[in-house]
Amino acid sequence: MKHNKHQTLLIVDFGSQVTKLIARRLREKKIYCEIHPYQNISELFLKTLLPRAIVLSGGPKSVNDQHSPKVSSFIYELGIPILGICYGQQLMMHQLGGKVKNSKFSSEFGRAFLKLKKETKLLEGWFNDTKEVVWMSHGDHVSKIAPGFEVFAISKNAPHAVVADTKRNFYGVQFHPEVHHTPKGILLFQNFLKIAGFNGDWTMQAYKNEMIQNIKDIVKKDRVICGISGGVDSTVTATLLHKAINKQLTCIFVNHGFLRKYEEIEVLKMFKKNIKIPLIYADESALFMKEIEGVADPEIKRKKIGKLFINIFQKYAKKIKNAKYLGQGTLYPDVIESVSENGQISETIKSHHNVGGLPKKMGLKLIEPLREVFKDEVRKLGKELGISKEFINRHPFPGPGLAIRCPGKITKEKIKILREADYIYIDQIKKFGLYDEIWQAFAAILPIKTVGVMGDKRTYEFACTLRAVTSVDGMTADYYPFEHEFLKDTSTRIINEVKGINRVTYDITSKPPGTIEWE
Ligand code: XMP
C-alpha cells in the first residue's frame, strides 16, 4: 500500500536497534517517513520515493570493515538535506573524504556531554547551558572531517560530535538524538525538518481517506476476509476495510482457546452493538490445543499459531466466492521486530504471529492497512473512524494470546489457571481505577511450582507473575509503579481465588532490556 502524496523522509537503515525510534520521533512531528534497508537504495528507488530529505541510521558495523554496509554515493548528489546519525555520520565522512578510526580511548557508551563550538541551525534552542546531555553508543569515531565540513560541537571522546556542511545541508551527529536519553533530540529533528522545508502534512484524517481509497483500488470487485481478535488493531483494520468495500468484507473471529476469560462473549457483543459489522465466530480451540499442547519454544508456538490461523482463514475463504485477500491488523513495530525487513543485519526479536509467523505459501494475498503506523496512531485513527472510546482504550492483546504468557510447555491446566489469575488481576486494576493509566497489563504463569503453606497444609503449586507497563507505542516501556496496597490485595485475591497458584510475583523489567510479553 503506497503513499506518495506526502512530503517524504527516507531513513536508510544500517541495522541499529533504535532505527525505528527515528521514525517514531519524526511521526510525532507529523512527518511521513519510511525506513528502508541500505541494500534497497537504488537510483530508481529514489526516483520513485522522491524523498525530501534523508536520515542515515546508526548500525553495529565499522565503516572500515571490508564488507561494511554502504549506500551508493549518488545520494550526496540529490541536492537534498542529509542527516547522518552515529554510523550514518561516520559513513558520510568516510564516503565524502574524511576518516574514521577505532581506538579503545574513543568509545563512548551511555551519557555524554556535548559542548558547543559554533552556532548551527541544527542545534538551535539546544545550549541554554554550556553543555547538553546526549546518549552515545560508539566504538569508532570520526578522526578527520570531510572537505566542506565544520565542527559545531564536541564531547569528551568525540572531537567531531556534530559536523555539518551547511552549504549542502549535510549534517552528522555522533550521538543518538532518537532516544529519550538525549533530552533535546526531538528539537534536533525539528530543526533538521525545518532546514529541509517539511510542513508536517501527515495527519490521521489524511491517512484514513488515503487508505480507504487505496483499499478500493487494490480490492476492486474481489472479497476480503479479515481476522478479528477483539483488539484495537484488528477492529480498526476491519472498520477501514468496511468503510472502503462494505459487503465485500467478511470478518472472522477465531477462538483459538488462548483468549482471556469471557473475551469471546465481550467481543461478539461489542461487534454487534458498536462496530455493527457482521462477524463469523469460529470456535477452533480444540484444534489449536491439539497442535500447541506440549510446545515449549516461544518461536515454535508463534509459528504454529500463525500457520493454524491461516489454514482456518483459507478454509473459510474457499466458501466465499472471489475471496482473494486476507486483511490483518499488522502494525509497523510488528514488521520491524518480526522479520528484520530492514536489511537482515538487525536481530529478529520475535515472530509476531501475523508477520513472521505466517506460512511461506498462502492462497490469500495480504492487505494490511496499518502496516505503516504505530500503536498510538492506530488509536487516533480509530477515533477518526468513530470507534467508541471504550473499545479504543482496551489494552493491547497479542494474537497468540495466553499461549505466549505461559513460558515452558503449554498444558490445558496451565492455560485454565492463567485465565483465572489474569481475570482477577485486570478486575483489581479496574477496581482501583488504574486501567486507563496503564498501557498494558496481564498475568503470566511461570513454568515452576513452589512450596507454600495454606491453612496449615503444605501446597506445591504454580507461581505466576503480574506485568503492567506504561508506554506510548509498545516499543519501549516502563513497569507500572503500583502501590504496595494494590499488590498485597491482588496477590491475596489470586492465591485465595485461583486454584493452582500459591505464589505471585511482580515483574519490574522495563523494555528494553525486557520485552512486554514474556515470550
Ligand atoms: P513485545 O513483547 O514485543 O510486545 O514487547 C509489544 C506489543 O506487541 C504485542 N504483541 C503482539 N501483538 N501479535 C500481536 O498482534 C503478536 O504476535 C504479538 N506479540 C507481541 C504485545 O502484547 C505488546 O502490546
Side-chain angles (χ1 to χ4, degrees):
M1 309 195 83
K2 258 305 347 100
H3 299 268
N4 32 31
K5 294 182 199 136
H6 297 282
Q7 295 183 324
T8 300
L9 187 142
L10 166 66
I11 300 166
V12 182
D13 185 23
F14 295 103
S16 160
Q17 288 291 346
V18 287
T19 300
K20 55 190 179 284
L21 291 181
I22 305 173
R24 197 67 209 88
R25 298 283 96 84
L26 297 171
R27 292 284 182 87
E28 277 165 28
K29 293 282 147 209
K30 299 197 169 77
I31 304 302
Y32 181 72
C33 56
E34 290 186 16
I35 301 179
H36 290 276
Y38 67 95
Q39 303 97 318
N40 288 4
I41 314 302
S42 64
E43 261 179 286
L44 179 67
F45 170 83
L46 288 167
K47 274 188 190 140
T48 318
L49 189 73
L50 289 178
R52 197 180 179 89
I54 297 177
V55 174
L56 306 174
S57 86
K61 302 277 176 183
S62 166
V63 292
N64 294 321
D65 293 347
Q66 204 188 347
H67 300 295
S68 59
K70 293 201 173 57
V71 66
S72 196
S73 45
F74 57 68
I75 63 158
Y76 305 112
E77 276 138 42
L78 296 170
I80 58 175
I82 301 179
L83 170 65
I85 296 174
C86 196
Y87 180 87
Q89 180 210 33
Q90 294 163 7
L91 183 68
M92 192 196 286
M93 289 301 101
H94 179 75
Q95 292 187 310
L96 294 176
K99 282 210 165 72
V100 174
K101 247 195 186 162
N102 182 287
S103 115
K104 64 178 175 189
F105 302 110
S106 67
S107 49
E108 280 172 302
F109 293 97
R111 211 159 85 119
F113 292 99
L114 204 65
K115 257 176 80 181
L116 185 69
K117 288 289 276 182
K118 192 177 170 185
E119 298 284 342
T120 157
K121 278 189 208 160
L122 188 73
L123 299 177
E124 227 168 66
W126 261 58
F127 288 89
N128 298 335
D129 199 353
T130 48
K131 54 186 190 181
E132 277 297 337
V133 174
V134 293
W135 192 74
M136 295 274 192
S137 180
H138 66 103
D140 287 3
H141 74 287
V142 174
S143 57
K144 182 175 159 246
I145 50 172
F149 280 78
E150 281 181 89
V151 179
F152 290 88
I154 57 168
S155 72
K156 193 162 160 253
N157 287 349
H160 305 114
V162 177
V163 299
D165 174 340
T166 47
K167 281 208 188 87
R168 290 188 285 176
N169 278 329
F170 292 167
Y171 297 85
V173 294
Q174 181 56 78
F175 58 90
H176 287 268
E178 66 273 36
V179 302
H180 279 297
H181 308 78
T182 299
K184 288 205 174 149
I186 189 76
L187 192 56
L188 184 143
F189 283 120
Q190 206 171 304
N191 291 336
F192 179 67
L193 294 169
K194 205 161 130 195
I195 293 166
F198 279 91
N199 53 27
D201 61 355
W202 166 256
T203 64
M204 271 306 130
Q205 197 190 15
Y207 186 75
K208 179 190 88 178
N209 295 335
E210 278 164 32
M211 269 304 131
I212 291 175
Q213 191 52 49
N214 230 325
I215 295 165
K216 282 184 184 165
D217 294 345
I218 293 172
V219 176
K220 298 193 176 82
K221 296 249 171 321
D222 292 325
R223 295 191 67 111
V224 180
I225 296 209
C226 181
I228 295 297
S229 70
V232 184
D233 311 341
S234 59
T235 306
V236 170
T237 304
T239 312
L240 261 178
L241 286 165
H242 191 249
K243 283 228 178 337
I245 55 168
N246 206 306
K247 290 202 167 115
Q248 288 158 257
L249 172 71
T250 305
C251 289
I252 305 177
F253 173 36
V254 177
N255 182 349
H256 52 18
F258 303 118
L259 296 175
R260 289 168 292 193
K261 195 171 175 181
Y262 302 136
E263 184 133 41
E264 63 276 30
I265 300 168
E266 276 170 25
V267 171
L268 290 171
K269 205 162 83 192
M270 211 135 46
F271 255 76
K272 203 164 169 194
K273 218 175 100 207
N274 291 323
I275 317 285
K276 298 192 174 88
I277 303 176
L279 192 59
I280 295 175
Y281 174 60
D283 184 354
E284 300 282 357
S285 47
L287 172 72
F288 274 84
M289 188 46 92
K290 199 170 128 240
E291 292 287 321
I292 309 293
E293 195 165 18
V295 177
D297 182 278
E299 279 297 288
I300 299 179
K301 281 179 196 171
R302 284 174 172 273
K303 295 220 155 117
K304 276 189 177 253
I305 291 175
K307 190 161 172 263
L308 283 171
F309 263 117
I310 296 301
N311 289 348
I312 292 162
F313 292 141
Q314 277 172 332
K315 186 175 91 184
Y316 279 90
K318 279 196 190 124
K319 296 182 196 162
I320 299 165
K321 207 173 152 217
N322 288 339
K324 298 240 170 83
Y325 293 92
L326 175 66
Q328 290 204 131
T330 309
L331 304 191
Y332 201 29
D334 304 344
V335 176
I336 299 168
E337 291 186 356
S338 271
V339 280
S340 305
E341 268 207 342
N342 306 310
Q344 284 80 49
I345 45 179
S346 103
E347 282 272 305
T348 296
I349 309 295
K350 0 183 132 167
S351 303
H352 279 224
H353 82 290
N354 45 355
V355 191
L358 292 182
K360 288 211 169 64
K361 269 197 172 172
M362 270 200 322
L364 294 162
K365 285 187 251 174
L366 287 180
I367 187 156
E368 299 177 307
L370 308 183
R371 212 177 153 86
E372 289 151 14
V373 294
F374 291 90
K375 190 83 186 184
D376 51 320
E377 292 175 324
V378 175
R379 292 203 163 111
K380 283 186 201 141
L381 185 58
K383 267 190 211 141
E384 273 298 325
L385 288 161
I387 300 172
S388 74
K389 214 172 115 204
E390 173 202 12
F391 211 106
I392 286 174
N393 292 341
R394 288 186 90 195
H395 288 180
F397 186 61
L402 301 184
I404 55 164
R405 294 175 178 174
C406 179
K409 283 189 182 167
I410 292 192
T411 67
K412 283 190 198 111
E413 185 206 7
K414 274 158 79 182
I415 296 292
K416 193 168 157 237
I417 296 171
L418 170 58
R419 190 173 283 126
E420 294 302 320
D422 184 76
Y423 184 75
I424 292 170
Y425 178 40
I426 301 299
D427 185 52
Q428 283 285 102
I429 287 176
K430 286 182 181 160
K431 277 197 180 128
F432 276 70
L434 301 172
Y435 191 83
D436 290 337
E437 250 180 68
I438 292 169
W439 197 80
Q440 187 173 12
F442 58 87
I445 185 162
L446 300 181
I448 44 160
K449 285 192 168 183
T450 70
V451 174
V453 51
M454 269 177 105
D456 292 335
K457 281 215 169 85
R458 178 187 193 265
T459 59
Y460 186 56
E461 310 279 14
F462 284 108
C464 81
T465 189
L466 308 179
R467 182 97 166 115
V469 294
T470 54
S471 179
V472 176
D473 48 33
M475 289 198 305
T476 56
D478 278 323
Y479 75 88
Y480 184 78
F482 283 121
E483 299 281 335
H484 280 287
E485 211 40 48
F486 171 88
L487 291 171
K488 203 163 83 183
D489 210 49
T490 306
S491 152
T492 308
R493 265 197 74 190
I494 292 177
I495 289 169
N496 283 339
E497 295 175 37
V498 183
K499 202 168 166 299
I501 286 183
N502 68 353
R503 193 174 294 268
V504 177
T505 65
Y506 185 52
D507 179 355
I508 53 165
T509 322
S510 54
K511 175 184 178 178
T515 53
I516 296 177
E517 300 292 344
W518 270 54
E519 293 192 324

